Amino acid sequence: MSTNSSLPRKQRKSLYTAHHTERRKHLALSLSRELRSRYGRRRIPVRKGDTVRVISGAYVGREERVTKVDYRHYRLVLDNITVKKADGKMKQLPIAPVHLMLTKLDLADPWRRRILKAPAEEGETPTESTEALPTEGAAGPDVAEETEEAEEKK
Protein backbone atom coordinates (compact mmCIF):
# COMPACT_ATOMS: atom_id res chain seq x y z
CA MET A 1 0.00 0.00 0.00
CA SER A 2 1.75 3.14 -1.14
CA THR A 3 0.89 6.47 0.35
CA ASN A 4 0.83 9.98 -1.01
CA SER A 5 0.84 11.50 2.45
CA SER A 6 3.68 13.68 3.67
CA LEU A 7 3.05 12.63 7.25
CA PRO A 8 5.93 10.45 8.51
CA ARG A 9 3.62 8.28 10.60
CA LYS A 10 1.56 7.34 7.53
CA GLN A 11 4.68 6.63 5.51
CA ARG A 12 6.04 4.35 8.26
CA LYS A 13 2.67 2.63 8.57
CA SER A 14 2.59 1.96 4.84
CA LEU A 15 6.01 0.28 5.10
CA TYR A 16 4.94 -1.87 8.06
CA THR A 17 1.67 -2.94 6.44
CA ALA A 18 2.97 -3.31 2.87
CA HIS A 19 2.05 -6.34 0.79
CA HIS A 20 4.89 -8.72 -0.12
CA THR A 21 4.88 -7.51 -3.73
CA GLU A 22 5.50 -3.95 -2.61
CA ARG A 23 8.17 -5.10 -0.16
CA ARG A 24 9.95 -6.74 -3.08
CA LYS A 25 9.90 -3.44 -4.99
CA HIS A 26 11.37 -1.64 -1.97
CA LEU A 27 14.24 -4.13 -2.02
CA ALA A 28 15.20 -3.25 -5.60
CA LEU A 29 18.87 -2.27 -5.88
CA SER A 30 20.52 -0.03 -8.42
CA LEU A 31 22.62 -1.79 -11.03
CA SER A 32 26.29 -1.08 -11.70
CA ARG A 33 27.11 0.92 -14.84
CA GLU A 34 28.09 -2.23 -16.73
CA LEU A 35 24.80 -3.96 -15.92
CA ARG A 36 22.81 -0.81 -16.75
CA SER A 37 24.32 -0.62 -20.21
CA ARG A 38 23.91 -4.38 -20.78
CA TYR A 39 20.28 -4.70 -19.69
CA GLY A 40 18.92 -1.18 -20.17
CA ARG A 41 17.50 -0.98 -16.64
CA ARG A 42 18.45 1.08 -13.63
CA ARG A 43 17.10 -1.09 -10.79
CA ILE A 44 15.99 -4.65 -10.24
CA PRO A 45 14.75 -6.52 -7.15
CA VAL A 46 17.58 -8.34 -5.40
CA ARG A 47 17.63 -12.10 -4.92
CA LYS A 48 19.61 -14.63 -2.98
CA GLY A 49 22.71 -15.48 -4.99
CA ASP A 50 23.26 -12.03 -6.50
CA THR A 51 26.58 -10.29 -5.88
CA VAL A 52 26.49 -6.77 -4.45
CA ARG A 53 29.03 -4.07 -3.67
CA VAL A 54 28.79 -2.08 -0.44
CA ILE A 55 28.84 1.61 -1.41
CA SER A 56 28.58 3.22 2.03
CA GLY A 57 29.21 2.35 5.64
CA ALA A 58 31.97 0.50 7.45
CA TYR A 59 32.30 -2.21 4.77
CA VAL A 60 32.52 0.15 1.77
CA GLY A 61 34.07 -1.37 -1.36
CA ARG A 62 33.49 -5.02 -0.46
CA GLU A 63 31.75 -7.30 -2.94
CA GLU A 64 29.83 -10.15 -1.38
CA ARG A 65 27.12 -12.61 -2.34
CA VAL A 66 23.59 -12.20 -0.92
CA THR A 67 22.87 -14.99 1.56
CA LYS A 68 19.41 -13.96 2.72
CA VAL A 69 16.79 -11.38 1.78
CA ASP A 70 14.71 -10.30 4.79
CA TYR A 71 11.48 -8.86 3.40
CA ARG A 72 10.01 -8.28 6.83
CA HIS A 73 12.72 -5.90 8.04
CA TYR A 74 13.88 -4.66 4.59
CA ARG A 75 17.45 -5.94 5.11
CA LEU A 76 19.96 -8.11 3.26
CA VAL A 77 22.44 -10.54 4.78
CA LEU A 78 25.74 -10.95 2.92
CA ASP A 79 28.50 -13.57 3.07
CA ASN A 80 31.51 -12.64 5.22
CA ILE A 81 29.96 -9.47 6.64
CA THR A 82 29.84 -10.26 10.35
CA VAL A 83 29.94 -8.48 13.67
CA LYS A 84 31.24 -9.78 16.99
CA LYS A 85 28.65 -10.27 19.71
CA ALA A 86 29.24 -9.57 23.38
CA ASP A 87 29.84 -13.26 24.12
CA GLY A 88 32.52 -13.44 21.39
CA LYS A 89 30.45 -15.24 18.78
CA MET A 90 30.23 -13.92 15.23
CA LYS A 91 26.85 -12.90 13.84
CA GLN A 92 25.91 -11.99 10.27
CA LEU A 93 25.15 -8.29 9.95
CA PRO A 94 21.94 -7.29 8.14
CA ILE A 95 22.48 -4.33 5.79
CA ALA A 96 19.94 -1.87 4.40
CA PRO A 97 19.57 -1.98 0.61
CA VAL A 98 20.34 1.73 0.28
CA HIS A 99 23.99 0.94 1.06
CA LEU A 100 24.35 -1.64 -1.75
CA MET A 101 24.68 -1.85 -5.54
CA LEU A 102 24.23 -4.94 -7.73
CA THR A 103 27.37 -5.99 -9.61
CA LYS A 104 26.53 -9.56 -10.73
CA LEU A 105 23.11 -11.09 -11.25
CA ASP A 106 22.09 -14.68 -10.67
CA LEU A 107 20.42 -15.54 -13.99
CA ALA A 108 19.70 -19.21 -13.29
CA ASP A 109 15.96 -18.44 -13.24
CA PRO A 110 14.39 -18.38 -16.73
CA TRP A 111 11.78 -15.83 -15.59
CA ARG A 112 14.49 -13.37 -14.60
CA ARG A 113 16.37 -13.92 -17.88
CA ARG A 114 13.16 -13.22 -19.79
CA ILE A 115 12.50 -10.01 -17.87
CA LEU A 116 16.04 -8.77 -18.54
CA LYS A 117 16.00 -10.11 -22.13
CA ALA A 118 19.25 -11.91 -21.34
CA PRO A 119 20.45 -14.77 -23.53
CA ALA A 120 20.20 -18.27 -22.09
CA GLU A 121 23.99 -18.72 -22.11
CA GLU A 122 24.44 -16.08 -19.40
CA GLY A 123 22.32 -17.97 -16.91
CA GLU A 124 24.13 -21.27 -17.12
CA THR A 125 26.29 -22.36 -14.29
CA PRO A 126 29.83 -23.56 -15.15
CA THR A 127 28.86 -27.23 -14.78
CA GLU A 128 25.86 -26.82 -17.10
CA SER A 129 27.87 -25.03 -19.77
CA THR A 130 30.50 -27.79 -19.96
CA GLU A 131 27.81 -30.45 -20.23
CA ALA A 132 26.03 -28.57 -23.00
CA LEU A 133 29.10 -28.48 -25.23
CA PRO A 134 29.12 -31.19 -27.92
CA THR A 135 31.83 -33.76 -27.61
CA GLU A 136 34.20 -34.48 -30.47
CA GLY A 137 32.56 -36.67 -33.06
CA ALA A 138 29.13 -36.27 -31.46
CA ALA A 139 27.83 -34.37 -34.48
CA GLY A 140 27.48 -37.61 -36.43
CA PRO A 141 29.27 -39.29 -39.31
CA ASP A 142 27.70 -37.12 -42.02
CA VAL A 143 29.14 -33.91 -40.58
CA ALA A 144 32.59 -35.47 -40.20
CA GLU A 145 32.56 -36.61 -43.85
CA GLU A 146 31.46 -33.16 -45.07
CA THR A 147 34.27 -31.44 -43.20
CA GLU A 148 36.83 -33.92 -44.60
CA GLU A 149 35.54 -33.29 -48.14
CA ALA A 150 35.76 -29.52 -47.63
CA GLU A 151 39.36 -29.84 -46.44
CA GLU A 152 40.30 -31.99 -49.44
CA LYS A 153 38.89 -29.40 -51.86
CA LYS A 154 41.17 -26.73 -50.37
Side-chain angles (χ1 to χ4, degrees), residues 11-152:
Q11 291 178 8
R12 278 194 305 275
K13 183 178 180 182
S14 71
L15 283 177
Y16 298 147
T17 60
H19 193 260
H20 65 88
T21 55
E22 287 195 26
R23 288 176 184 264
R24 185 172 171 271
K25 289 178 187 176
H26 282 290
L27 283 169
L29 299 182
S30 60
L31 298 174
S32 66
R33 287 194 173 124
E34 298 164 357
L35 294 178
R36 280 185 201 176
S37 62
R38 184 184 300 169
Y39 299 116
R41 293 186 63 154
R42 187 173 182 88
R43 296 178 58 179
I44 189 166
V46 67
R47 283 191 178 182
K48 179 180 173 181
D50 289 342
T51 303
V52 296
R53 180 183 302 129
V54 181
I55 56 175
S56 65
Y59 299 96
V60 65
R62 293 194 44 187
E63 281 197 31
E64 298 293 337
R65 179 162 284 190
V66 177
T67 308
K68 180 182 174 188
V69 180
D70 185 3
Y71 288 102
R72 182 174 182 161
H73 297 107
Y74 298 102
R75 295 288 185 261
L76 300 169
V77 176
L78 309 178
D79 284 343
N80 303 322
I81 304 277
T82 56
V83 66
K84 195 175 210 178
K85 292 176 25 175
D87 61 358
K89 293 180 183 175
M90 300 303 280
K91 174 188 167 188
Q92 288 186 318
L93 182 68
I95 299 179
V98 71
H99 301 292
L100 304 171
M101 177 193 319
L102 277 167
T103 56
K104 292 179 188 168
L105 298 174
D106 180 21
L107 295 174
D109 183 19
W111 181 85
R112 199 173 199 195
R113 279 196 312 267
R114 191 185 75 225
I115 293 300
L116 292 172
K117 298 177 180 81
E121 297 86 37
E122 287 186 38
E124 292 179 350
T125 59
T127 56
E128 291 174 353
S129 62
T130 56
E131 292 172 2
L133 295 175
T135 58
E136 192 173 322
D142 297 334
V143 175
E145 291 174 7
E146 290 174 4
T147 55
E148 289 175 5
E149 290 174 6
E151 289 176 5
E152 290 176 6

